Amino acid sequence: MNSYKIITINGSHFSDLPGFYDEISSVLMKDTDWKIGTLDGFDDILYGGFGVFESGGKIEIRWKESQKSKEDLGLESTRNFYQNKIRQGKPFNIQLMQQKLENLLSGKGQTLFEILIEIIESHKNITLILE
């Protein structure tokens, strides 16, 4: 039986991507010892089946203080995110990260906030409400 769940994340609880992962882990993965630590990992848990909702279950994510998150996960933190990946090198695709950074700086790329929104909205069983 698919049930409908409302999940609330609060932008006042974090100010960077690791903080977002901690917040989303605490609401989606409570009662498990698994923590989200990557964008791919975030996407994976949104398929459900472990954590707080069943695979294919309908959920609504309410993102409180989303305007704060939009600023916190905006241009500066996204630039730092790509620069860190470029500095680390393998296993990251340096050319891809460089291209994403150049796109970002030229106004064509997505911020981390926009990437997170896109990941959430790619899941048809999830409704996102920015508050």
Side-chain angles (χ1 to χ4, degrees):
M1 177 181 129
N2 279 347
S3 59
Y4 187 82
K5 288 204 182 307
I6 296 175
I7 306 291
T8 302
I9 56 176
N10 192 326
S12 67
H13 293 172
F14 59 90
S15 58
D16 58 14
L17 191 59
F20 170 81
Y21 292 147
D22 288 345
E23 172 76 359
I24 204 77
S25 293
S26 74
V27 294
L28 287 180
M29 301 304 294
K30 65 180 179 212
D31 306 327
T32 74
D33 58 4
W34 195 75
K35 294 281 183 248
I36 300 158
T38 64
L39 292 170
D40 288 340
F42 175 55
D43 188 35
D44 288 346
I45 63 134
L46 293 179
Y47 286 101
F50 48 95
V52 299
F53 69 100
E54 291 305 310
S55 187
K58 296 267 186 219
I59 68 167
E60 178 180 290
I61 296 178
R62 293 177 179 248
W63 191 329
K64 294 187 179 304
E65 305 285 339
S66 62
Q67 189 57 43
K68 176 187 178 297
S69 296
K70 185 175 183 175
E71 292 161 20
D72 290 341
L73 302 172
L75 186 67
E76 189 176 334
S77 67
T78 308
R79 185 183 67 224
N80 292 338
F81 174 79
Y82 289 131
Q83 287 172 335
N84 286 337
K85 296 240 182 285
I86 292 165
R87 251 194 315 278
Q88 283 176 264
K90 290 190 180 332
F92 302 108
N93 179 334
I94 307 297
Q95 283 83 9
L96 179 63
M97 294 300 137
Q98 191 66 49
Q99 186 62 54
K100 287 179 179 279
L101 178 60
E102 288 168 17
N103 288 347
L104 178 76
L105 298 177
S106 69
K108 294 186 296 223
Q110 291 178 302
T111 64
L112 288 169
F113 181 77
E114 292 164 335
I115 293 167
L116 293 170
I117 299 295
E118 183 177 79
I119 289 171
I120 294 167
E121 290 180 340
S122 73
H123 294 267
K124 301 301 176 216
N125 59 313
I126 300 175
T127 303
L128 175 65
I129 298 172
L130 299 177
E131 298 180 338

